[in-house]
Amino acid sequence: MAHPQIRTGDAATVSLDPELLRLLERPNESQVPTTRRIYVNRNLRMDQIDLIGFDMDYTLAIYHMRRIEQLSFDMTLALLVRQFGYPQVVESIRYDHQFVMRGLVVDKEQGNLLKMDRFNHVGRVYHGRQLLDREAWRRLYRDEKIRLSSPRYAWIDTLFALPEASMYAEVIELLEGRGERVDYGKLYDDIREAIDTVHRDGSLKTEITKDLPAYVFRDPELGPALHKLRSGGKKLFVLTNSLFDYTDAVMSHLLDGQLPEYPSWRNYFDLVVVGGSKPRFFTERHPFVELDESGAVQAEAQSLERGKIYQGGNLVDLERMAGFGGERVLYVGDHIYGDILKSKKTSLWRTCMIVEELEEELAHMEASADQMRHLAEAERLRARLEDELGLQKARLNALDRKLERGDVEGRSPAELEAMRQEAKRDLERVRRAVREIDGMVGHLAESLESGFNRYWGLIFKEGNENSRFGEQVEDYACLYTSRVSNFLFSSPMQYFRSPREVMPHEVGFEALSPFGGDSRRPGDRMADRGG
């Protein structure tokens, strides 16, 4: 019996025998729900990864976002009134989680929140809770290059920063509504200092540890995912900015007792580093110090041993003492600047970004599949109509010139005028259709975006372009996914393949490889753009 064949060229075929077909028909990555898949920006061969590191907060530990954001918001508001002298009425404002998302920018000079696309073009702006009309924000930002390195701007790039952005807008709305003048820069600095104090003095984490199940989701698949990676020969480590007492409490809640092979969370990891002070961990040379079981400092570490806890440290010494470095290391974190961008700019570590909100956005896109298809069809029709509009304008202009010059080409002036009137009717007919389809596209796009977030739209998009946040995820994270436990659905030896980047002239050529190559390094495009 002849075996099925796949033709790979004029002379080459691949024969698929029944046993090979049986193997290929087994469940694979494509059958994992889209919300739980690992997405690839740059090819990564897991069989070439020896050491995998994890941040803790919002990476290994998935927080109940609304609860912890509300807690942080309330505690910071109280501190603003108690220590920074803001009026008591400020404590009356409420946290609206929908009004903020990662990737927004605070303009401390104008008191605005803005969202940008990948070219740093501003797409929408709020002052307080008021949406600025297009002309107003264009006057402010259209002719200005937004540079996030400027002290004028602050980028909301972590989930921990969402309450501060909401508070900034709400306080401006409240105080200006009372006729009070607001110093926008001072307000932001005060909120930033207050929220840092809540984190720095341990008061926020104290409240969390009082009721960990209320604030930290215990993912039943986290232990099995880590076990699968270890069984594949990977060494695992934790590198977190949290100190030992909080790390121990959270990690015990997450992992203790999940699997009989790991009685303690520490059994999953070959190395545990707390108080890592990222991003300085990647750029400075602070020593590792060993801690005892109570978290007290013992001495500067001369080596890194399994079962012990370390604090501080730096990238160079970690690679030297762990015996692994460069592209043999994969680091998994949630913070673009502290975990992803800095590690990519100062090392060859591979990176995986945890984007918890990805599950919600993907679920919205799946539920809106019909709407997205209608929008795509409408945009294609609009493009055809706009092309036709240009042709009809050219046709009418040509007839106008002929009549002006008396260039009748064997036709009577009356015939040319009749043709001209017909061209005008056709032009107006196309114009009406363009106006109608413009309205339809606008309505469908607005409905699609506001269905996810009525203020800011989709996290990874701004208009038809990637958002600034989406662009940085694409450029600096080799992989991205919604939670660490998604590694459970892939082999520890998985070859993660990125989709091939297609230039406009290549669209439609199915013969091109669907996958990208291994040579592009994250950050290359951003570096080229000076971003």
Side-chain angles (χ1 to χ4, degrees), residues 30-269:
S30 65
Q31 294 168 293
V32 176
T34 57
T35 54
R36 302 296 303 278
R37 292 179 190 173
I38 295 173
Y39 295 92
V40 189
N41 292 320
R42 181 195 175 202
N43 288 2
L44 189 150
R45 297 175 182 266
M46 287 294 288
D47 63 351
Q48 296 179 1
I49 298 294
D50 298 312
L51 186 63
I52 305 177
F54 300 91
D55 186 24
M56 183 181 75
D57 296 309
Y58 287 109
T59 299
L60 290 168
I62 300 175
Y63 289 95
H64 292 291
M65 290 171 58
R66 305 296 171 250
R67 295 175 189 172
I68 198 169
E69 288 164 11
Q70 187 69 59
L71 178 64
S72 175
F73 188 88
D74 293 343
M75 294 180 72
T76 304
L77 270 186
L79 198 62
L80 279 179
V81 173
R82 189 171 68 247
Q83 291 189 15
F84 290 81
Y86 283 78
Q88 192 77 36
V89 68
V90 164
E91 289 193 271
S92 68
I93 66 177
R94 296 291 178 261
Y95 178 60
D96 180 0
H97 73 269
Q98 279 213 322
F99 190 65
V100 286
M101 63 169 53
R102 274 203 280 189
L104 300 183
V105 174
V106 177
D107 180 350
K108 294 184 281 185
E109 183 178 291
Q110 297 290 334
N112 296 334
L113 291 181
L114 30 136
K115 186 179 176 207
M116 303 188 302
D117 68 15
R118 65 193 181 105
F119 300 110
N120 283 9
H121 292 157
V122 175
R124 60 191 89 189
V125 180
Y126 280 84
H127 181 82
R129 292 292 300 248
Q130 307 306 311
L131 177 66
L132 297 190
D133 65 66
R134 189 174 182 84
E135 286 307 310
W137 65 253
R138 282 172 70 93
R139 284 195 300 270
L140 287 172
Y141 303 111
R142 184 62 178 177
D143 297 324
E144 180 179 346
K145 179 73 171 178
I146 305 293
R147 296 193 178 277
L148 295 183
S149 57
S150 165
R152 172 179 171 177
Y153 300 105
W155 195 32
I156 306 302
D157 62 341
T158 68
L159 292 172
F160 271 131
L162 296 184
E164 73 188 53
S166 172
M167 195 175 306
Y168 186 71
E170 297 287 359
V171 172
I172 289 173
E173 182 76 9
L174 173 68
L175 296 184
E176 291 190 338
R178 288 159 52 95
E180 299 182 28
R181 180 184 175 277
V182 178
D183 183 330
Y184 304 128
K186 182 179 185 301
L187 172 62
Y188 180 81
D189 292 342
D190 288 347
I191 291 173
R192 180 70 262 173
E193 177 60 27
I195 207 164
D196 280 349
T197 299
V198 166
H199 284 275
R200 189 169 54 239
D201 66 10
S203 55
L204 178 67
K205 290 181 177 179
T206 297
E207 290 301 311
I208 294 171
T209 52
K210 286 179 183 177
D211 190 3
L212 282 168
Y215 294 106
V216 184
F217 172 65
R218 183 176 163 93
D219 185 348
E221 294 173 329
L222 178 59
L226 297 174
H227 172 68
K228 187 173 185 177
L229 292 170
R230 287 186 58 81
S231 299
K234 314 302 181 189
K235 293 185 178 296
L236 310 183
F237 71 96
V238 173
L239 171 59
T240 176
N241 285 355
S242 293
L243 298 179
F244 176 68
D245 56 347
Y246 184 70
T247 301
D248 188 48
V250 171
M251 294 298 291
S252 295
H253 168 69
L254 289 174
L255 288 170
D256 283 5
Q258 268 211 11
L259 296 177
E261 303 95 313
Y262 304 91
S264 164
W265 69 270
R266 290 165 60 178
N267 299 127
Y268 287 92
F269 302 100

Side-chain angles (χ1 to χ4, degrees), residues 41-42 474-475 501 517-525:
N41 292 320
R42 181 195 175 202
E474 182 180 24
D475 208 61
E501 289 194 0
D518 292 338
S519 58
R520 186 175 73 84
R521 292 199 57 206
D524 287 347
R525 289 181 301 166

Side-chain angles (χ1 to χ4, degrees), residues 493-512:
M493 303 300 166
Q494 180 80 29
Y495 182 7
F496 290 108
R497 296 177 177 86
S498 64
R500 185 181 190 273
E501 289 194 0
V502 178
M503 293 185 69
H505 70 278
E506 297 172 329
V507 173
F509 288 90
E510 295 183 0
L512 293 170

